[in-house]
Amino acid sequence: MDVGWVLRKAEDIWNRFWGKNMEKSIWETLPDVAMIEIFKLLRDPDKANLALTCTNWARLFHTPSLWRNRHFDMGGYKSHTNGVRANKFAEQFGAYVENLSITCSHPSYHITKVFQKSMEDLLVKFRTSQLKEFEMERLELDRFWKHDSARDRFTNNFVKFFKTQKRLKVFDMTAAQCPLNGGLKIMEVIGQKSGKTMEEIYIEDFFPSRFTVYSVEKFKIAISYFTNLSYVALNYNYISEEIIEIFSKTLAGKLKFFNIKVYRSNPHLHRISSFAWRHLTSICPNLQVMFWFDSVARSTEIIPILVPEIPVQDVHIWTGYEDDAEWNLSDTITHIADSNVATLEAASLELDNNQEFVDDAVLYLVNKCKRLFDLSLNAAVLLSTIETILEQVDERKSNLRSLHITACGLSEMEWTELGVIKDRFADMATSRNIDLNISTDLVLDPF
């Protein structure tokens, strides 16, 4: 944003409210609070230029509220330069930052080596801060950090840093893929130092995928330190009956959102009883649970996980591309409808590479779950099924506010018929502000 434009705008506002004949000296008497708001509108280089104008503005340049939020991208082909800039900023303003976000874009073996060195220096400089939010997604230590010694050194630097942070409210290291021991040390120190203040924790893929993390004693101890969580996001192989009972004891009345991801590569054949879920729900009556199944499609795997006592608010199933005649997807969809009739609000079903008919089950889901507001379906479905769902929305027999359907396997004639169906309900969707997107995977030759 242009500095001159901001200054002219501020002067125009001043003249409008405090007199049209004010001299240029108004800038000398402009209240600090107004000038700070102007600073907030500017990019960092423009802030610095404005600070050169006078002694007073140079003083305001160091106002802590100007530097509460900071994002660093320390990757890419400018990883070294980006790291230097981040460290210079931390030297000057690190103590003021409360919300810190760091990414390493376009990682490679070379870039991660530069990134690691920059991060070591940066974490030292940020030890004087008292962060409320820390976010560093997709670190992927198992992918680009080739040596165990490098990974261990990196995680140890995080442990030292988090020992200095005692007011964290949000922690997000999704897809960090930390070594098990290093990741446990990080979880333990965060729990010990910020367990009473932490409100949201995002640790999907925080550990390597192959471990039954829920069975590790140190993880059970670490997770018990967190006593104020309202939002938890993790993998299914991090939870068990015992972990659910820990949450029932430590998060009574506080846990509201539970996001659970079930990956094919994660151990997911263990079972959590209806009793454990019922107990957690009774202790946390406002709890809403979101499930994401990735390349897990067999009903024999999904149904035992989705016991009726779980208040599932959102469920996503992506089958992957392995064609398996034993999927029994209709059974899974019917089970979801029967078990979550009072709680289900959103469902996303990506049923790829499978010719199993699910039309009856999908219609049953839409009819049964009156709180279902958002449905996304990618599957081989009949045009009559799509038309029936739209008719139910039109007649207000369904409360869907967002409907995305990709009909797979259509012929050119069916593609034309689908266009007619879309046109028939287009005005209805527009007038009622319904997010409607009906398409097909059919690719037509333009020639």
Side-chain angles (χ1 to χ4, degrees), residues 39 45-59 61:
F39 266 103
D46 295 331
K47 286 188 181 75
N49 289 334
L50 200 61
L52 297 174
T53 305
C54 65
T55 303
N56 187 45
W57 291 0
R59 175 181 62 85
F61 179 70

Side-chain angles (χ1 to χ4, degrees), residues 8 118 140 151 163 217 351 362 412:
R8 289 192 298 273
S118 298
E140 297 184 282
R151 285 192 288 265
K163 282 182 178 179
E217 195 63 32
L351 315 180
V362 170
E412 290 191 30

Side-chain angles (χ1 to χ4, degrees), residues 142-207:
D142 65 333
R143 184 177 179 187
F144 298 107
W145 276 256
K146 294 186 177 182
H147 304 290
D148 290 341
S149 59
R151 285 192 288 265
D152 291 341
R153 179 177 174 179
F154 202 33
T155 53
N156 285 334
N157 286 324
F158 278 108
V159 171
K160 293 177 183 178
F161 168 69
F162 286 121
K163 282 182 178 179
T164 67
Q165 303 303 307
K166 301 178 182 180
R167 296 184 349 187
L168 279 173
K169 292 185 177 182
V170 179
F171 173 77
D172 185 352
M173 285 190 71
T174 301
Q177 294 287 345
C178 292
L180 183 60
N181 289 333
L184 289 170
K185 290 179 182 178
I186 292 174
M187 288 290 296
E188 182 180 37
V189 73
I190 291 175
Q192 290 174 340
K193 299 299 181 179
S194 296
K196 294 180 180 179
T197 61
M198 188 76 70
E199 297 175 0
E200 301 178 17
I201 186 166
Y202 302 82
I203 51 172
E204 305 102 316
D205 298 328
F206 182 73
F207 297 102

